[in-house]
Amino acid sequence: MKRVRVTIDPGDSNLPLTYDAVTGADEEFARVQVVNWNVTESPATFLLRVRGDTSRFESVLERDDAVSEYELISLSVDECYCFVRGTGSASARALWENFKRGSLMTIPPAEWNPDGTYTFTVVGSDGDVQTAVTNAQSAVADIPDDVTVEIESVGGTRVAPETVVDRLSERQREAVESAIELGYYDTPREATSEDVARELGCATSTAAEHLRKAEAAVLTALFEG
């Protein structure tokens, strides 16, 4: 299996107005990640995570003829999820489906970049990955001849998106799980670090250190990006 992180310049793929407005704005007003998608039938369905001026983003959606329906789920003043359905051009669909052929799988999220490109991860056999990269730049079928593909990275251990829990060591996870079960994080607190240490079979100072490091990892992950 090969894991490749690619950035695509779609050229004249006739992408929806919303994509062009976000990635081609003189002043960046939103960052968009495509969290998941279903393009097996038309209209295609996408789940987006939007950070920035969500009101302006919605106004673009309303003007986009390719969008048949959408719904925003607010997370905060400047962040939301967007469930959107719409019909893309034949060239846009061909470019995307090119990276789903054979053994290939595209791994979310895909990121819309301010320069008009988008970046995502694809995994599959060496031959299928190479064929997809070549086809994307060879005007195959409905794919425009000005599409370019840049290989950002090859290999690596991360395939699926990382979760907060993935950042914890095995011992840190055990400490947190024990703390939760014992009521360490309840209000009022029903257990102490001594209780957690007893459950883990280690010194109190060691249990406390595991919890501090786990808490630091979780909070750092929550506030990144």
Side-chain angles (χ1 to χ4, degrees), residues 152-165:
E152 301 288 349
S153 63
V154 178
T157 58
R158 182 178 175 184
V159 176
E162 183 181 51
T163 67
V164 174
V165 175

Side-chain angles (χ1 to χ4, degrees), residues 192-198 201-212:
T192 66
S193 55
E194 288 86 350
D195 297 320
V196 177
R198 190 177 305 111
C202 65
T204 300
S205 60
T206 301
E209 182 179 6
H210 287 322
L211 291 174
R212 282 197 301 271

Side-chain angles (χ1 to χ4, degrees), residues 18-19 21-23 28-35 46-53 57 80 82 84 109-114 117-119:
T18 302
Y19 182 89
V22 171
T23 63
E28 184 180 11
F29 69 89
R31 294 302 301 265
V32 177
Q33 288 184 322
V34 186
V35 178
F46 298 90
L47 179 63
L48 312 177
R49 184 162 188 162
V50 183
R51 296 180 174 92
D53 189 340
F57 182 81
C80 70
C82 176
V84 59
E111 300 177 8
W112 297 3
N113 302 317
T117 64
Y118 61 92
T119 303

Side-chain angles (χ1 to χ4, degrees), residues 43-146:
T45 306
F46 298 90
L47 179 63
L48 312 177
R49 184 162 188 162
V50 183
R51 296 180 174 92
D53 189 340
T54 57
S55 295
R56 182 174 173 182
F57 182 81
E58 183 174 16
S59 70
V60 175
L61 285 173
E62 292 175 346
R63 294 186 284 109
D64 193 340
D65 291 337
V67 174
S68 56
E69 63 175 299
Y70 73 87
E71 180 180 353
L72 299 185
I73 304 170
S74 178
L75 298 175
S76 67
V77 174
D78 57 0
E79 187 171 1
C80 70
Y81 281 112
C82 176
F83 173 86
V84 59
R85 302 189 74 198
T87 303
S89 66
S91 57
R93 177 176 288 275
L95 181 56
W96 187 251
E97 290 183 344
N98 174 62
F99 287 92
K100 296 178 59 183
R101 301 183 186 279
S103 64
L104 300 183
M105 294 179 288
T106 47
I107 309 298
E111 300 177 8
W112 297 3
N113 302 317
D115 61 357
T117 64
Y118 61 92
T119 303
F120 62 94
T121 297
V122 60
V123 298
S125 69
D126 288 4
D128 285 344
V129 169
Q130 185 58 53
T131 297
V133 171
T134 300
N135 286 349
Q137 302 178 96
S138 303
V140 174
D142 291 315
I143 300 177
D145 58 9
D146 60 345

